[in-house]
Amino acid sequence: MNTFGRILTAMVTPFHDDFSVNYDAAANLAKYLIANGSDGLVVAGSTGESATLSNEEKLRLFATVLEAVGDKATVIAGTGSNDTMASIKLTQAAEKLGVHGAMLVGPYYNKPPQEGFYQHFKAIADTTNLPLIIYNVPGRTSSNILPGTIARLSEIKNIVAVKEASGNLEQVAEIVRTTPNDFMVYSGDDSLTLPILAVGGVGIISVAAHIVGNRMQDMISAFKDNDLAKAQAIQSELLPFFRMMFITTNPIPVKTAVNLIGQKAGCFRLPLIPPTSTELDQIKSCLTKMNLI
């Protein structure tokens, strides 16, 4: 495997007004994203409100997205949790559906030591043939998977990538330095996509690509073509939008933006709530300035 793709969009989960999952809208959104800059999709990740989805809902989402775009794009199942045995069972069930890989978030709340991280991910990897992406997001998990631990995990055959959302560019560079050449390092922060490419990353697992996926592809293509001036210009163009997507808790801004551009994303499950009127005005203003609505 060379890559899952340059841009994997961490897809929002559409809901009906009664808070049930809108599977038809999920299929349509998946098709829209693949037609507009995404090489693949991460389904039921944190942007997909995974914390409030049941395993049954997740599995049906995986199957729905696979049916919609699985022959055209990479479909990655969000199967990680802070319960190793539960993660094993969900990963195995997702594998049976035919997903192309699974993403495993660092265990939250437990705050394991580094050896605990290693044993957690190794235990899951030992029970599946799926290629696995480790997801390091200290801002949500309250613990950081250190480069040395990622380097050890990269020696396991089917642990093939990391989504790095620590915000620490030196840490990302150290992971690139200490892992095999074919180990994939993805940015977990839209605004750091270009810097992470510069230190050896392969792409982005993105929130913003719901809205600006084509432009992000332009930026990555310019970088790969050694047109750094163009890549930097697009980064500067998109930076205000990247910031706007995090004016409040993700996925509140992006799900709102998806609705505003005419795609059906629906409402939020508690404890997430709609944006405030001020936040909504800011999101609308940003989309208007970029000629997106």
Side-chain angles (χ1 to χ4, degrees), residues 40-93:
L41 303 171
V42 175
V43 183
S46 49
T47 305
E49 298 177 70
S50 60
T52 58
L53 294 173
S54 69
N55 281 353
E56 291 75 18
E57 288 171 326
K58 291 177 183 178
L59 290 169
R60 187 172 171 189
L61 270 172
F62 302 155
T64 296
V65 174
L66 267 172
E67 183 177 358
V69 300
D71 60 338
K72 302 179 182 71
T74 306
V75 178
I76 306 296
T79 61
S81 74
N82 66 335
D83 178 340
T84 305
M85 292 308 299
S87 298
I88 287 171
K89 290 178 182 177
L90 185 57
T91 303
Q92 291 175 326

Side-chain angles (χ1 to χ4, degrees), residues 84-162:
T84 305
M85 292 308 299
S87 298
I88 287 171
K89 290 178 182 177
L90 185 57
T91 303
Q92 291 175 326
E95 182 176 9
K96 290 178 181 177
L97 292 174
V99 298
H100 303 109
M103 190 172 75
L104 307 170
V105 68
Y108 40 87
Y109 192 78
N110 315 65
K111 296 185 72 173
Q114 294 301 306
E115 184 63 23
F117 281 126
Y118 178 81
Q119 294 296 338
H120 169 79
F121 293 121
K122 182 178 184 299
I124 301 168
D126 286 346
T127 64
T128 180
N129 291 314
L130 284 176
L132 303 176
I133 304 172
I134 306 301
Y135 180 20
N136 185 38
V137 57
R140 285 187 180 266
T141 64
S142 297
S143 52
N144 185 25
I145 309 171
L146 296 177
T149 303
I150 297 295
R152 288 180 67 199
L153 288 166
S154 72
E155 297 172 1
I156 298 171
K157 183 178 179 181
N158 58 329
I159 296 180
V160 300
V162 63

Side-chain angles (χ1 to χ4, degrees), residues 15 27 88 182 193 226:
F15 295 129
I88 287 171
D182 60 352
T193 303
N226 292 316

